[in-house]
């Protein structure tokens, strides 16, 4: 694996130098390989999607690179290229944020709303390494910014209702812009009861209630200088998780940042952006509403992150470069208190995350070279220092039972390098690339202490002595686009050495009542993951458009055993109609039978399914104001089904009627 890294490094050095010396000046901007899911400006939200007030989880599933692990009706965990949170990177406007739940009940995506986002930039593999170390890729959730356009006041009111779960949605946005100052504010509230699966079967403990407040304000104190402050406050209460043994009484996030943006008059540097940020997450698991609880437990968790990045973009001849210096300090702590049924017995307390401190400093460099009007070559590389420390003495002593020589700190160097070629001419586009990247163990993988996994019914213990996980990656894509048709097929292959998983230790006794045993995190020799997706759009006429998607994944370890959460063949197709102010869409999506499942990780066979949806909308214009009404039916046939990524096979929603109304003035 080290040889691969150094070979790529040599190619980076040797390739960059000749191009810098021999190519003539070319101001053509090279194209990007990133996938962008457009969500929309506040005033345009209704124009972008079939169901405008869908959750962020539903939006992200449009990508062929993204799937969601579902544990309840809310806060699904994104997986990118068949890889879960540990191997991917989720940011909000480039900010690093870490959940406070050992059971992954609070993914970063749960702390934002569609009404305050403009897009989700999905990057595959090492193309997503700008803001930190990743293996599978990244999602950067980019928030709406008015900037200094459309001067004056603008206001929006959004409301919605869904019959399945009786979800009530209400939101508002107020924005003001003048030549030197802008402020964007947004509020969204959701309240849902238990939903019903197909055949009217109620899914208990699937309710949730939350609200989200977002504010961004910018001031231009010079023609080329901007300072911007932003805040997100998100609070969810009474969140049920039917796939887990516990629910959530509180999930709360405060996310703040201060940004300085400078557009130099220099011909070399085009934009320089520096941001400092702070966020704090509080998460409390709760089992008091469950009918059968052998031992009542309190399981709160906290995560605080202080960070910054300084990013510069520039152009020199035919080189379009980017440099990003980023750093963060995170404190993650989680604890468990067990209350025996016998009041005469003592309480049991332990740290499940023993006050783990992470200090990360990284430098990311990218050079996108325009070779000619039709092709470009991109190189990127990063190096980072990843430092962990266990600050709690009791937690350290607990882990030292399993690792007697363990120190209270661990220092790692993480490296990555990637190269991609892209060609685009006469509607044809193709590209290919190679990459190498590394990651450190997550807090749970390195320092978790008796973390119960309800999927395979094992307690997990972290291993701070594991080596860095290393990934060698190859990717390719081919597409064609003209006025009528747009089609693209892409594929990626990952060979991941020192693949981190939990393996059973028969000598240990589980802490959780009814658990199958204890697994200790260790590293397999390697694992391989292959993903491919095909996307097609065809403009049948001025009013009709057809689109379709096929996705296939395959993953095994070094013994050819299947990896978990690998999607079977997934497909979707829709027919869209637009005439003047009227729109309508009918669509189908589904999965083939999951045959390549992994019993070792708690999986079983999931059958195939196909879901039929329909929606329709109309835009009313009242003076200069706009009222958009959209209504639809999801799962028209009321099919009872669950997917490969539904935790413990919890079923998805049955038939659901929805109404979304957006008024902009």
């Amino acid at each position: 694996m080290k040889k691969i890294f150094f070979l790529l490094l040599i190619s980076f050095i040797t390739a960059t130098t000749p191009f810098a010396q021999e190519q003539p000046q070319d101001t053509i901007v090279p194209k990007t390989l990133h996938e962008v899911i457009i969500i929309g400006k506040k005033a345009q939200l209704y124009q972008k999607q079939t169901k405008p007030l869908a959750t962020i989880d539903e939006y992200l599933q449009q990508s062929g690179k993204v799937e969601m692990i579902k544990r309840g009706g809310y806060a699904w965990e994104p997986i990118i290229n068949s890889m879960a949170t540990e191997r991917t990177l989720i940011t909000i406007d480039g900010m690093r944020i870490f959940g406070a739940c050992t059971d992954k009940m609070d993914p970063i995506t749960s702390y934002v709303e569609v009404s305050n986002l403009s897009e989700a930039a999905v990057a595959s593999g090492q193309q997503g390494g700008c803001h930190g170390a990743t293996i599978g890729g990244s999602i950067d959730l980019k928030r709406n910014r008015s900037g200094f356009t459309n001067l004056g006041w603008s206001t929006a009111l959004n409301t919605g209702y869904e019959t399945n779960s009786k979800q009530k949605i209400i939101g508002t946005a107020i924005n003001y812009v003048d030549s030197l100052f802008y402020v964007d504010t947004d509020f969204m509230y959701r309240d849902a009861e238990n939903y019903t699966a197909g055949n009217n079967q109620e899914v208990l403990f699937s309710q949730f209630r939350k609200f989200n407040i977002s504010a961004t304000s910018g001031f231009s104190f010079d023609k080329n200088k901007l300072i911007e402050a932003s805040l997100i406050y998100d609070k969810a209460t009474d969140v049920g998780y039917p796939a887990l043994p516990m629910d959530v009484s509180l999930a709360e996030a405060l996310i703040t940042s201060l940004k300085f943006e400078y557009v130099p008059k220099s011909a070399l540097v085009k934009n320089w952006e520096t941001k400092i940020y702070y966020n704090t997450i509080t998460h409390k698991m709760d089992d008091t509403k469950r009918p059968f609880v052998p031992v009542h437990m309190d399981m709160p968790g906290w995560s605080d992150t202080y960070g910054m990045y300084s990013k510069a973009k520039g152009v020199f001849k035919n080189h379009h470069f980017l440099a990003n210096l980023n750093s963060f300090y995170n404190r993650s702590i989680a604890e468990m208190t067990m209350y025996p049924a016998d009041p005469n017995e003592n309480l049991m307390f332990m740290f499940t995350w023993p006050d783990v401190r992470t200090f990360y400093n990284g430098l990311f460099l990218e050079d996108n070279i325009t070779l000619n009007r039709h092709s470009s070559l991109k190189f990127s590389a990063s190096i980072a220092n990843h430092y962990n420390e266990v600050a709690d003495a009791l937690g350290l002593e607990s882990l030292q039972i399993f690792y007697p020589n363990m120190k209270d700190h661990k220092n790692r160097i993480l490296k990555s390098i990637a190269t991609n070629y892209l060609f685009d001419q006469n509607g044809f586009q193709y590209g290919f690339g190679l990459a190498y990247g590394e990651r450190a163990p997550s807090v749970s993988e390195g320092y978790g202490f008796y973390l119960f996994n309800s999927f395979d019914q094992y307690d997990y213990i972290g291993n701070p002595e594991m080596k860095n996980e290393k990934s060698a990656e190859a990717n390719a894509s081919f597409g064609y686009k003209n006025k009528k048709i747009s089609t693209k097929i892409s594929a990626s292959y990952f060979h991941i050495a020192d693949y981190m998983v939990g393996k059973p230790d028969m000598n240990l006794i589980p802490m959780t009542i009814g658990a199958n045993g204890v697994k200790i995190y260790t590293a397999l020799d390697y694992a391989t993951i292959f993903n491919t997706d095909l996307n097609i759009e065809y403009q049948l006429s001025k009013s009709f458009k057809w689109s379709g998607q096929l996705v296939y994944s395959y993953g095994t370890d070094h013994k050819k055993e299947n990896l978990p959460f690998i999607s079977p063949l997934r497909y979707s197709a829709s027919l869209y109609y637009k005439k003047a102010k009227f729109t309508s869409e009918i669509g189908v999506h589904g999965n083939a039978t999951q045959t390549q499942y992994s019993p070792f990780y708690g999986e079983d066979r999931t059958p195939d399914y196909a879901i039929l949806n329909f929606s329709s909308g109309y835009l009313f214009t009242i003076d200069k104001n706009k009222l958009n009404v959209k209504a639809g039916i999801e799962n028209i046939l009321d099919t009872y089904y669950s997917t490969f990524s539904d935790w413990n096979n919890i079923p998805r929603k049955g038939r659901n009627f929805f109404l979304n109304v957006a008024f902009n003035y």
Side-chain angles (χ1 to χ4, degrees):
M1 197 61 70
K2 290 182 178 178
K3 292 180 180 178
I4 295 173
F5 176 79
F6 286 115
L7 284 172
L8 286 169
L9 180 63
I10 291 169
S11 70
F12 178 89
I13 297 170
T14 56
T16 304
T17 305
F19 283 126
Q21 294 175 348
E22 298 174 8
Q23 294 295 323
Q25 184 171 349
D26 192 338
T27 58
I28 301 170
V29 178
K31 295 183 181 292
T32 177
L33 294 174
H34 292 184
E35 179 180 1
V36 175
I37 301 173
I38 299 296
I39 295 173
K41 298 292 185 183
K42 294 183 179 70
Q44 301 170 343
L45 186 64
Y46 60 86
Q47 298 174 343
K48 303 297 181 181
Q49 301 295 337
T50 301
K51 184 181 173 184
L53 298 180
T55 64
I56 186 67
D57 306 326
E58 295 173 82
Y59 278 95
L60 290 175
Q61 287 188 120
Q62 298 173 21
S63 169
K65 304 266 188 308
V66 179
E67 258 293 356
M68 311 297 290
I69 298 176
K70 180 184 177 185
R71 298 175 174 90
Y74 158 73
W76 304 349
E77 178 192 356
I79 52 178
I80 308 173
N81 283 325
S82 306
M83 295 180 236
T85 302
E86 298 84 0
R87 296 181 173 88
T88 61
L89 183 63
I90 312 293
T91 54
I92 300 175
D93 284 333
M95 296 183 288
R96 299 295 301 270
I97 304 166
F98 297 88
C101 177
T102 57
D103 281 15
K104 301 183 181 180
M105 294 175 171
D106 64 336
I108 306 311
T109 49
S110 67
Y111 294 117
V112 292
E113 269 289 352
V114 293
S115 55
N116 54 49
L117 291 178
S118 62
E119 66 181 42
V122 182
S124 178
Q126 295 308 314
Q127 296 175 54
C130 180
H131 293 286
T134 182
I135 298 292
S138 71
I139 301 174
D140 189 23
L141 302 170
K142 298 183 179 182
R143 297 167 66 199
N144 276 321
R145 295 175 61 214
S146 290
F148 299 101
T149 59
N150 300 321
L151 301 185
W153 291 92
S154 64
T155 307
L157 177 66
N158 299 312
T159 186
Y161 181 77
E162 300 187 16
T163 58
N164 194 329
S165 78
K166 299 179 182 178
Q167 182 177 175
K168 284 79 69 178
I169 308 168
I170 188 166
T172 184
I174 301 174
N175 312 309
Y176 175 74
V177 181
D178 68 19
S179 59
L180 297 176
F181 173 79
Y182 64 85
V183 59
D184 299 327
T185 63
D186 182 273
F187 171 81
M188 184 70 79
Y189 173 80
R190 297 177 186 266
D191 186 357
E193 300 178 15
N194 291 335
Y195 70 82
T196 56
N199 301 321
N200 204 34
Q201 297 186 34
E202 184 179 6
V203 180
L204 299 175
F205 312 111
S206 59
Q207 80 289 342
F208 68 89
R209 184 184 303 115
K210 69 164 292 189
F211 70 86
N212 180 280
I213 300 172
S214 172
T216 303
S217 181
F219 175 71
S220 177
F221 54 90
D222 202 343
K223 290 183 179 180
N224 61 343
K225 298 180 182 68
L226 166 73
I227 188 167
E228 181 184 89
S230 72
L231 176 145
I232 297 175
Y233 178 70
D234 187 278
K235 184 177 182 180
T237 57
D238 190 24
V239 183
Y241 285 88
L244 302 174
M246 300 185 75
D247 302 313
V248 171
S249 61
L250 176 67
E252 186 177 33
L254 176 65
I255 302 167
T256 63
S257 68
L258 182 65
K259 180 180 77 171
F260 173 74
E261 191 169 351
Y262 174 50
V263 181
K265 297 177 182 179
S266 161
L268 181 63
V269 179
K270 300 300 181 183
N271 180 274
W272 181 24
E273 176 184 319
T274 299
K275 178 182 290 186
I276 58 173
Y277 58 87
Y278 165 74
N279 55 76
T280 179
I281 312 290
T282 300
H283 192 274
K284 295 181 179 180
M285 285 190 271
D286 174 38
D287 62 7
T288 57
K289 295 184 179 180
R290 295 299 177 100
F292 306 107
V293 180
V295 178
H296 168 60
M297 294 185 292
D298 283 338
M299 296 185 66
W302 301 269
S303 172
D304 299 319
T305 305
Y306 305 82
M308 63 79 63
Y309 68 79
S310 189
K311 183 191 304 183
K313 297 179 181 179
V315 178
F316 177 71
K317 296 185 178 180
N318 60 333
H319 294 260
H320 300 254
F321 62 83
L322 180 150
N324 185 26
L325 179 66
N326 59 94
S327 176
F328 70 82
Y329 174 83
N330 172 261
R331 175 179 182 255
S332 292
I333 183 169
E335 58 188 44
M336 179 177 70
T337 304
M338 301 177 70
Y339 300 86
D342 185 351
N344 296 318
E345 295 183 19
N346 293 328
L347 301 181
M348 179 180 174
F349 174 86
M350 67 179 184
F351 284 106
T352 50
W353 282 347
D355 198 357
V356 181
R357 315 291 175 91
T358 303
F359 187 38
Y360 177 96
N361 294 282
L363 175 63
F364 176 86
L365 300 172
E366 178 183 285
D367 186 9
N368 206 341
I369 307 164
T370 304
L371 304 178
N372 52 50
R373 291 187 176 274
H374 307 296
S375 61
S376 62
L377 189 62
K378 181 169 71 174
F379 297 94
S380 64
S382 71
I383 188 165
N385 178 256
H386 183 105
Y387 177 84
N388 285 125
E389 180 182 1
V390 179
D392 180 76
L394 178 62
L396 178 63
E397 291 174 5
S398 299
L399 285 170
Q400 285 175 335
I401 296 172
F402 306 98
Y403 311 103
N405 298 322
M406 173 187 171
K407 296 180 180 179
D408 65 351
H409 64 276
K410 180 79 172 180
N411 199 57
R412 301 171 184 268
I413 301 297
L414 305 176
K415 307 173 288 294
S416 77
I417 191 166
T419 180
N420 287 88
Y421 174 79
L422 184 65
F423 179 87
D424 188 346
Q425 185 177 18
N426 298 329
F428 289 95
Q429 184 184 90
Y430 66 85
F432 54 86
L434 297 171
Y436 170 86
E438 299 177 352
R439 76 168 181 99
S442 67
V443 172
S444 290
E445 291 170 327
Y447 304 96
F449 192 72
Y450 281 96
L451 303 178
F452 179 63
N453 184 325
S454 63
F455 197 73
D456 61 7
Q457 300 290 308
Y458 276 85
D459 284 335
Y460 278 68
I461 295 173
N463 182 355
E465 297 177 352
M466 287 189 294
K467 297 178 181 178
N468 294 342
E469 195 172 83
K470 310 165 189 68
S471 170
E473 171 196 346
N475 57 77
S477 64
F478 177 82
Y480 176 75
K481 184 177 182 180
N482 61 23
K483 292 181 179 180
K484 283 213 162 194
I485 189 170
S486 172
T487 179
K488 183 177 182 180
I489 184 170
S490 60
S492 59
Y493 175 81
F494 299 86
H495 183 282
I496 307 171
D498 297 315
Y499 188 84
M500 301 178 195
V501 297
K503 295 187 71 175
D505 189 323
M506 308 308 295
N507 298 317
L508 299 178
I509 300 174
M511 187 81 67
T512 304
I513 297 173
N516 292 330
V518 177
K519 287 185 178 181
I520 291 185
Y521 277 103
T522 186
L524 304 181
D525 288 347
Y526 66 88
T528 58
I529 297 175
F530 172 77
N531 302 282
T532 183
D533 60 277
L534 171 66
N535 294 272
I536 302 175
E537 281 191 3
Y538 186 72
Q539 193 75 40
L540 299 169
S541 67
K542 187 176 180 180
S543 298
F544 285 96
K545 181 175 71 174
W546 178 87
S547 62
Q549 183 183 78
L550 283 174
V551 181
Y552 177 75
S553 301
Y554 181 76
T556 60
D557 63 17
H558 65 296
K559 294 182 179 179
K560 302 302 178 184
E561 297 290 336
N562 294 322
L563 296 178
F565 298 114
I566 302 296
S567 174
L569 180 67
R570 172 163 59 102
Y571 60 88
S572 66
S574 65
L575 181 64
Y576 178 79
Y577 174 79
K578 186 177 188 301
K579 184 72 171 180
K581 298 180 179 181
F582 175 79
T583 61
S584 187
E585 183 173 2
I586 186 168
V588 62
H589 68 88
N591 277 8
T593 301
Q594 185 192 22
T595 56
Q596 297 168 342
Y597 57 91
S598 175
F600 177 79
Y601 295 101
E603 287 189 313
D604 56 15
R605 182 180 179 274
T606 54
D608 62 319
Y609 68 88
I611 304 302
L612 187 64
N613 304 317
F614 173 80
S615 69
S616 188
Y618 193 84
L619 174 63
F620 298 90
T621 303
I622 307 169
D623 294 329
K624 294 183 179 180
N625 306 319
K626 295 179 180 179
L627 174 67
N628 190 76
V629 179
K630 283 204 172 183
I633 314 173
E634 297 173 311
N635 196 353
I636 294 173
L637 303 179
D638 200 29
T639 303
Y640 183 95
Y641 73 106
S642 63
T643 77
F644 76 99
S645 60
D646 292 331
W647 200 263
N648 287 329
N649 295 325
I650 61 165
R652 299 224 171 183
K653 279 186 178 182
R655 186 182 295 115
N656 179 41
F657 294 85
F658 70 86
L659 175 67
N660 289 177
V661 179
F663 182 55
N664 299 276
Y665 56 95

